[in-house]
Amino acid sequence: MTALTRDRNTPWRRGEDYGYDVAGGAQIFAGALVVLNATGYAEPGSTATGLKPAGVAKEQIDNSGGADGDADVVVRRGVFQLENDGSIDRTHIGSSAYIVDDQTVAATDGGATRSAAGTIEDVDVDGVWVRI
């Protein structure tokens, strides 16, 4: 490949909705925090390291009886209100939130046992707003 020497019509996406193959044995509920595991398959968020936040599931997908990639899930990226494990307050705005489960985040990585979910954008009485 070489650098451009003329205009290019570059394909683009809005950057909100993405589809991913689901890990074998995984069930993802609508509204769940979805992550990509070490092999690149989608699964519900959990306390584990090496997970990459993918977004929030737009629909329920049950691949509990299937193999890797037998189902796919559509996730949305953006800013979402997730449950607070009680450790996050307004002083954490701008910091990373860490995955506890498929709906809950924490202020710390739990002694290097949790993966980052995204950036804390706001905190209110109903939860934590996280940019994924």
Side-chain angles (χ1 to χ4, degrees):
M1 294 287 146
T2 60
L4 291 175
T5 57
R6 59 188 167 109
D7 293 343
R8 178 177 188 255
N9 184 12
T10 303
W12 68 282
R13 292 181 178 175
R14 183 173 295 277
E16 293 175 357
D17 295 348
Y18 291 87
Y20 295 105
D21 289 339
V22 177
Q27 181 175 15
I28 299 171
F29 293 99
L33 173 60
V34 177
V35 297
L36 300 179
N37 64 24
T39 56
Y41 290 97
E43 61 185 45
S46 62
T47 296
T49 58
L51 303 176
K52 298 175 186 168
V56 170
K58 292 184 70 175
E59 60 191 358
Q60 180 181 350
I61 300 298
D62 187 354
N63 195 31
S64 56
D68 287 346
D70 280 354
D72 60 280
V73 64
V74 176
V75 300
R76 175 158 284 170
R77 293 185 185 164
V79 180
F80 300 93
Q81 186 183 65
L82 300 173
E83 295 293 321
N84 187 345
D85 78 337
S87 65
I88 299 175
D89 61 35
R90 296 196 61 75
T91 65
H92 295 102
I93 294 173
S95 300
S96 292
Y98 295 89
I99 303 166
V100 174
D101 58 35
D102 61 356
Q103 70 169 347
T104 311
V105 291
T108 69
D109 69 0
T113 62
R114 300 179 186 135
S115 297
T119 303
I120 299 168
E121 296 288 329
D122 199 7
V123 180
D124 60 32
V125 296
D126 295 319
V128 181
W129 293 89
V130 179
R131 179 175 301 279
I132 301 172

